Amino acid sequence: MKKAYTIALANQKGGVGKTTVGLNLASAFHLGGTETALVDADPQNTSLRWATSGAETLGIAVTSLAPAGNKIGNEIAKLQRKYDLVVVDCPGNLEDPRTPEVLKVADFCLMPLGPSPADLFSTLAMIREVAAIRRRDNPGLNSALMLNAVNGKTKMRGEIIKLLEEQDVGTHLLKCQIAQREIYRQVFALGTTVHECTRYMRGLKEARAEIEALAVELSTFIAETKKRG
Ligand SMILES: Nc1ncnc2c1ncn2[C@@H]1O[C@H](COP(=O)(O)OP(=O)(O)O)[C@@H](O)[C@H]1O
Ligand SMILES: [Mg+2]
């Protein structure tokens, strides 16, 4: 029986790119031949609305499981039996009971954040929550931060790594990062993703390359953890 690897996009801060990174990443895996489901766990239903509005159709299946509330873990478990990969877009506040329930059944918590110390400080509560869930409920839960909407030549990466070390929260920062690009807003408005978009737009090639780099970094990590058993 299948047991899909499950990646949750979580950060209680809104607007950091959970939905953007989640959908584009899931779509890249889907087109690469991995049977992938995207779960919208956010009662604001941004992923679902993204996938069902706009001019283009999206190949990847998006299921809203937000109505399951704190029973969302059971619903995700059902999808885990049908797919190879489940990507979950979590709600943007720490009080929402769905986020911890998702993290209890997830393998990896990916926390996008903007490239600023302020974003790191507002992500610390999330990092601690993930650590608490790992201790209490899900010892196999891995996690990492990822910089999103990085603009041009910002040197924030080193700064963020230094702050992370000072805070001693035991979470690492992915090597790959996503640039700030208009194309991410454009494909969102069209109801598609950088990989599934059928028209040529500026920045598409670069966006596809960085989303693929993220997929490769995560796949490598997943393969290594599976080898370690
Ligand atoms: N890398 C990026 N470049 C440009 N715009 C981005 C990028 N990532 C996200 N956005 C935009 O920022 C806004 C918030 O992103 P979203 O994915 O909805 O965040 P969250 O789900 O964390 O609230 C959206 O309008 C989205 O199009
Ligand atoms: Mg969102």
Side-chain angles (χ1 to χ4, degrees), residues 154-173:
T154 137
K155 297 276 188 321
M156 271 304 158
R157 195 180 166 77
E159 189 86 354
I160 300 276
I161 292 174
K162 195 168 132 248
L163 280 172
L164 260 179
E165 280 164 5
E166 279 167 19
Q167 294 294 327
D168 195 24
V169 282
T171 256
H172 76 286
L173 184 65

Side-chain angles (χ1 to χ4, degrees), residues 27-40:
S27 171
F29 274 113
H30 164 73
L31 285 191
T34 304
E35 282 194 58
T36 306
L38 193 282
V39 170
D40 194 347

